[in-house]
């Protein structure tokens, strides 16, 4: 099969051709979570090229027909083309992310409005991971300790500083009841007798130091509990491979789907045993997925996966100033809608709707332009996010499309192919010659890097030749008719396409694309690297992705052993 | 308040709360017997190193600045040298003088005042940003680099002593990245506020309450961590993480002890600056106040890096030294030996100006010594490095060759002390590689390619 040969040949070429290897050799993976620019070949694109893809596996051997995980259209399974060579630590003490901390504090203290206590928290320097919530990035160093301490003190002051705040915190005025009730919320389970005794001692100390009064005692208890490892870490301390207990799974579910601590109702359900079955867990998950906090979590997921913050951070003289504020917001709202409407990857790749504001309307040629950002139908020639202006503009240059950046983004973000970054900066593209198209220029400039470019990046990037550097339609390139056609192995078979629209339709049916999406979702939800042992789960989720929605993928994930059990991997 | 108040304030509510206490009380922290009595940072291996970079302006009178020849520095020897740096004699044991350091070369120098400042901490040729007087950087400055490595997202403390609103060139020293000038604090009172919060009359009682309550919370949290670390199902990685958390609490306690206090701050002088208006005669006074605050900031582990631009590029400071008392020339004129910002004279043409320049050098070294006293008093000699330099070497020549550098502190045991060395005509990137590496030892980072120039560190500066 030619397609597989290409994929395998790509991997082989890197090793066999010294010159190629020296410039296309895999460099350390770039962190995805910094919301950086789309990867392009620095220099060639002229963009502020950040190197490398975030921790994504390269193309591996072709499809495993025996796996039987074909997709729509009965194509042989090719989802095994994604390497799953992560290195999770399977932590049993998962520190809360800064965002989880902020929401959890607001939840347990019953804040009426966001306190923004974590906005100045430092982010520890960490190894490259796909997402910022990866277990390997979450620990308490000296700076984090000072951040948590200071913010806990401020939170305690806010929670006890007014009668209204105290009333929301706890209806009574007794230390015993407060320690028990607040402790259950903060530690996400009932306190033990020993813990109740210790924290009642803290309450008494608070009154001793600061004067008699419920607020003084409560404030010190709050400070202590918010700094306790029982608040700062979500623990899974049961035997390896055994199911999580009700409180553990309640915490895991709530932080994964809502980014915050479990509600009183969820803790009650845990206590009643309602979360001990996968059906009970599913019911709870479905209810959570309709809450606004779930939208916020999935917004963060898509934002990191597709680097949506980078859309608004484009710094090119040719980008109209009026456009910049719309780019990120239009992107985020598109993905919000995909999730909220019960859609998924297929819509990400093929939706005919987009969010358009007055600036973007000009780029899309929409008249009259809306007064503010709203959802509109686009010209049918544009489908999916990767044919929308925010993506095309970010992967664009002032003198035309950034073909390599566009191709690399699709390879990395849709197909989980880790396009190696250049070790040495590549030379810049020469100016266009008379009558030369951008496509011809790129082909000439990358001729010696066939393994990365001719087989992977270029075909995917050339599909978008019909759009200029600002994401506007174009039919001619330097006076020559645009050629956006190409061929690409999809589902193990090399398929021709005339343009990006046809490519997106092909990828929407491609098992690899759905498996890639499943891999990313799994890594984000479980907060760890994904490995070979997860492949059956990914194949199941990919099958759901092809025919159903992101919400259904999440429900399937929640029902899985990977979610409900303590993994058996080495700690 | 100055319009150039740093961004620090709105990103650091946690630090203000820490030193002020949640109740808003002023913190004059006594060393409590209940806190562990141990050397600061002894818990860490390697501990954090703090870095402070100072650049002043308009060059020195080279022949009267450093001792006559490289060699050991002693208090007696330096005091007897008769040079401007004799004012630093009390600090001789912790000093490293370096000659033979050059700025990187660039094709055309349009404005040495601005361009020299840009090169001082970036070790790169400046980028001409339209008007040559608006020269900007081709990369980050050393203070910003260290800050980003040590505490990502939180920049260095960037300070300015001079007329930041002079509308001509102003700050040109601290850069977050290429062309990204860091905003500066020019009024020490604003830095004081960032560190301290507003003073109230609660005084020591509030501080004691805070420390005792924190100690109790820490004890409980430590107990919980210890219990967790004994859990049979926790693996090595989890135990290491919890141990790291445990150690972080201990470090925070040590920070709260003796060195992180307001002792030594001239609080009345700082508070008198609430209605600060720039005054040409008070630049060095601002430098002393800035330095006292940076020393406290480091002792409190507030930031790992700081920078101070001492004077305007075309310095408007009027030094009341004997040879300038009558003329009252701004320092730029003194350094040019002419009453001109553009034309430059020579020593023979105006020996009075030349003498005034030498006297100013001595005054500046007195100011530096007074500032270093604060670092010494807080026991920072082994945990810190303070680098002083200028935008160019000499007044009339504006030369970028052989720019004097002074380093105080061992930088965590990384640097030589008590020595005057000749770097042999190398570019400043190698010195900055060395200083940055010293500052980032706890991050296990070695830097050899900062800025422009030959890779590697400066061996003559290393212990």
């Amino acid at each position: 099969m030619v397609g597989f040969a290409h994929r395998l040949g790509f991997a082989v070429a890197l090793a066999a051709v010294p010159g190629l290897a020296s410039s296309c050799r895999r460099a350390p993976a770039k962190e995805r979570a910094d919301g950086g620019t789309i990867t392009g070949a620095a220099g060639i694109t002229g963009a502020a090229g950040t190197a490398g893809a975030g921790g994504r596996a390269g193309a591996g051997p072709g499809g495993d027909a025996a796996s039987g995980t074909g997709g729509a259209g009965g194509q042989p399974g090719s989802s095994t083309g994604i390497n799953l060579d992560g290195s999770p630590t399977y932590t049993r003490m998962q520190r809360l992310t800064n965002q989880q901390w902020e929401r959890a504090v607001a939840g347990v203290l019953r804040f009426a409005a966001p306190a923004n206590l974590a906005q100045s928290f430092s982010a520890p320097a960490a190894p490259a991971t796909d997402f910022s919530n990866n277990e390997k990035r979450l620990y308490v160093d000296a700076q984090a300790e000072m951040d948590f301490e200071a913010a806990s003190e401020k939170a305690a002051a806010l929670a006890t500083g007014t009668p209204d705040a105290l009333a929301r915190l706890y209806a009574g005025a007794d230390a015993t009841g407060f320690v028990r009730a607040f402790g259950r919320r903060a530690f996400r389970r009932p306190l033990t007798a020993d813990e109740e005794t210790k924290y009642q001692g803290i309450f008494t100390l608070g009154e001793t130091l600061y004067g008699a009064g419920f607020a003084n005692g409560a404030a010190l208890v709050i400070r202590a509990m918010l700094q306790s490892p029982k608040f700062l870490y979500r623990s899974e301390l049961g035997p390896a491979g055994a199911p999580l207990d009700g409180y553990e799974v309640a915490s895991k579910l709530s932080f994964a789907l809502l980014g915050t601590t479990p509600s009183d109702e969820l803790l009650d359900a845990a206590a009643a045993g309602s979360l001990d079955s996968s059906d009970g867990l599913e019911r709870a998950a479905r209810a959570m997925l309709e809450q606004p906090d779930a939208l916020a979590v999935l917004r963060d997921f898509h934002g990191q996966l597709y680097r949506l913050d980078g859309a608004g951070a484009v710094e090119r003289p040719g980008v109209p100033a009026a456009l910049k504020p719309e780019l990120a917001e239009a992107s985020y709202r598109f993905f919000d809608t995909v999730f909220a409407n019960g859609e998924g990857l297929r819509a990400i790749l093929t939706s005919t709707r987009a969010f358009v504001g007055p600036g973007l309307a000009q780029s899309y040629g929409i008249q009259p332009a809306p007064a503010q950002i709203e959802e509109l139908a686009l010209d049918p020639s544009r489908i999916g996010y990767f044919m929308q202006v925010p993506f095309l503009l970010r992967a664009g240059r002032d003198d035309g499309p950034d073909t390599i950046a566009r191709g690399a983004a699709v390879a990395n973000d849709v197909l989980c192919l880790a396009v190696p970054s250049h070790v040495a900066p590549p030379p810049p593209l020469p100016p266009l010659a008379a009558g030369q198209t951008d496509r011809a220029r790129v082909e000439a400039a990358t001729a010696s890097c066939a393994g990365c470019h001719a087989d992977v990046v270029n075909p995917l990037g050339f599909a978008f030749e019909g759009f200029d550097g600002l994401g506007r339609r174009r039919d001619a390139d330097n006076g020559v008719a645009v050629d956006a056609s190409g061929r690409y192995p999809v589902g193990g078979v090399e398929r021709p396409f005339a343009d990006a629209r046809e490519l997106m339709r092909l990828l929407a049916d491609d098992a690899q694309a759905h498996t890639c999406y499943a891999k990313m979702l799994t890594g984000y939800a479980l907060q760890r690297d994904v490995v070979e042992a997860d492949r059956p789960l990914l194949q199941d989720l990919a099958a759901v992705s092809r025919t159903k929605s992101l919400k259904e993928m999440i429900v399937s994930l929640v029902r899985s052993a990977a979610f409900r059990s303590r993994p058996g991997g080495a700690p | 308040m100055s319009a150039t108040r740093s961004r620090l304030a709105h990103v650091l509510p946690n630090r203000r709360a820490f030193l002020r206490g949640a109740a808003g009380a002023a913190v004059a922290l006594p060393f409590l017997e209940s806190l562990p009595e141990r050397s600061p940072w002894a818990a860490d291996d390697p501990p954090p190193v703090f870095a402070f970079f100072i650049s002043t302006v308009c060059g020195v009178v080279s022949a009267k600045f450093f001792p006559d020849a490289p060699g050991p520095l002693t208090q007696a020897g330096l005091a007897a040298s008769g040079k401007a740096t004799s004012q630093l004699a009390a600090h001789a044991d912790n000093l490293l003088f370096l000659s033979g350091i050059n700025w990187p070369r660039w094709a055309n120098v349009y404005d040495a005042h601005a361009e020299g400042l840009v090169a001082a901490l970036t070790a790169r040729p400046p980028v001409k940003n339209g008007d040559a007087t608006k020269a900007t950087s081709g990369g980050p400055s050393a203070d910003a680099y260290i800050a980003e490595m040590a505490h990502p997202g939180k920049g260095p403390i960037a300070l300015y002593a001079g007329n930041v609103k002079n509308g001509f060139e102003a700050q040109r020293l601290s850069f977050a990245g290429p062309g990204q000038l860091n905003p500066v604090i020019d009024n020490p009172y604003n830095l004081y506020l960032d560190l301290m919060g507003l003073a109230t009359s609660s005084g020591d009682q509030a501080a004691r309450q805070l420390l005792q309550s924190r100690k109790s919370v820490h004890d409980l949290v430590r107990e919980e961590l210890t219990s967790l670390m004994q859990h049979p199902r926790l693996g090595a990685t989890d135990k290491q993480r919890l141990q790291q958390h445990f150690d972080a609490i201990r470090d925070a306690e040590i920070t709260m002890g003796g060195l992180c206090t307001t002792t030594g701050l001239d609080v009345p002088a700082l508070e008198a600056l609430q209605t600060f208006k720039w005054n040409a005669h008070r630049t060095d006074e601002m430098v002393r106040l800035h330095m006292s605050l940076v020393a406290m900031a480091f002792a409190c582990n507030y930031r790992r890096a700081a920078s101070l631009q001492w004077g305007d590029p075309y310095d408007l400071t009027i030094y009341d030294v004997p040879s300038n008392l009558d003329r009252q020339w701004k320092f730029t004129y003194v350094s040019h030996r002419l009453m001109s910002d553009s034309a430059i004279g020579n020593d023979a043409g105006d020996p009075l100006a030349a003498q005034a320049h030498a006297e100013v050098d001595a005054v500046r070294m007195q100011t530096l010594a007074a500032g270093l006293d604060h670092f010494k008093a807080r026991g920072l000699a082994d945990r810190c490095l303070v680098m002083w330099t200028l935008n160019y070497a000499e007044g009339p020549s504006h030369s970028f060759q052989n720019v004097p550098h002074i380093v105080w502190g061992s930088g965590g045991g990384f640097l030589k002390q008590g020595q005057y060395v000749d770097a042999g005509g190398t570019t400043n990137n190698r010195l900055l590689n060395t200083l940055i590496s010293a500052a980032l030892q706890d991050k296990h980072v070695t830097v050899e390619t900062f800025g422009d120039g030959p890779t590697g560190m400066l061996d003559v500066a290393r212990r």
Side-chain angles (χ1 to χ4, degrees), chain B residues 241-457:
Chain B
R241 289 282 172 91
L242 294 179
Q243 184 66 50
Q244 182 182 25
H245 187 166
F246 186 99
D247 293 341
I249 297 172
R250 182 182 51 192
D251 291 342
E253 283 187 331
I254 291 171
T255 300
M256 288 191 292
L259 299 184
C260 180
T261 73
T262 57
T263 302
L265 291 186
D266 188 347
V267 175
L270 287 164
E271 291 185 340
L273 293 175
Q274 286 188 66
T275 52
F276 173 72
K277 285 187 180 167
W278 176 79
N279 180 303
H281 297 265
R282 298 181 67 183
T283 298
D284 279 34
E285 177 189 343
M286 298 303 115
V287 169
R288 292 181 190 221
L289 291 171
H290 276 316
M291 289 187 72
S292 69
L293 290 166
V294 171
M296 189 184 78
F298 284 176
C300 297
N301 198 14
Y302 175 76
R303 284 290 188 275
R304 290 282 297 275
S307 60
L308 168 63
Q309 181 175 324
W310 181 343
D312 314 300
Y314 283 82
D315 200 9
L316 300 168
T317 304
I318 299 174
Y319 283 97
D320 294 309
V321 294
S323 300
N324 195 44
L325 276 177
D326 290 337
R327 283 175 160 176
Q328 292 287 288
W329 279 8
K330 66 180 182 181
F331 189 41
T332 300
Y333 293 166
V334 170
S335 73
H336 281 187
R337 312 294 190 259
L338 278 179
M339 275 190 74
S340 170
D341 284 331
S342 52
I344 301 174
N346 54 54
D347 289 359
D350 195 329
L352 187 64
Q355 177 59 28
H357 196 155
E359 292 166 1
V360 169
D361 287 347
V363 166
R364 292 194 288 182
M365 290 299 104
Q366 285 174 4
T367 302
L368 180 62
L372 291 174
D373 286 344
H374 290 280
F375 288 80
K376 193 169 188 175
R378 294 184 187 274
L380 289 168
D382 286 332
R383 291 280 71 82
C384 179
L385 62 95
V386 179
M387 187 199 87
W388 175 97
T389 189
L390 308 107
N391 58 344
Y392 49 76
E394 285 211 318
S397 73
H398 291 28
S399 173
F400 290 157
Q401 307 297 304
N402 199 23
V403 182
H405 284 71
I406 298 172
V407 180
W408 180 94
S410 79
F414 208 82
L415 304 169
K416 275 183 187 156
Q417 295 182 97
Q419 288 284 329
Y420 169 22
V421 300
D422 183 351
T426 191
T427 42
N428 65 328
N429 71 300
R430 293 183 63 207
L431 174 62
L432 292 178
N433 281 339
T434 310
L435 301 183
I436 294 170
S437 299
L440 293 176
Q441 290 177 81
D442 63 319
K443 302 298 178 186
H444 304 285
V445 168
T446 299
V447 174
E448 296 196 330
T449 57
F450 181 81
D452 259 20
T455 58
M457 288 188 257

Side-chain angles (χ1 to χ4, degrees), chain A residues 403-404 429 437-447 453 458 462:
Chain A
T403 301
I404 293 169
L429 280 174
T437 64
D438 178 73
R439 178 169 183 147
R441 176 174 63 170
V442 169
E443 284 176 333
T446 60
H453 283 275
N458 290 2
F462 289 145

Side-chain angles (χ1 to χ4, degrees), chain B residues 116-128:
Chain B
L117 272 172
V118 171
L121 298 190
T122 66
R124 289 175 186 266
V127 174
K128 185 178 167 189

Side-chain angles (χ1 to χ4, degrees), chain B residues 6-8 11-12 143-149 151-158 174 176 182-183 302-307:
Chain B
S6 164
R7 69 182 185 280
L8 291 174
V11 298
L12 296 170
D143 58 326
Y145 186 99
I146 292 167
E148 186 61 19
M149 292 294 286
H151 35 73
K154 294 181 179 177
I157 304 172
S174 181
N182 277 324
Y302 175 76
R303 284 290 188 275
R304 290 282 297 275
S307 60

Side-chain angles (χ1 to χ4, degrees), chain A residues 91 149 153 198-199 228 237, chain B residues 214 218 223-224 233 238:
Chain A
T91 183
E149 179 174 65
E153 290 169 358
K198 285 199 167 86
Y199 281 95
S228 167
L237 297 175
Chain B
R214 281 184 175 166
H218 291 169
E223 187 185 314
E224 291 178 344
R233 294 199 193 96
D238 277 330

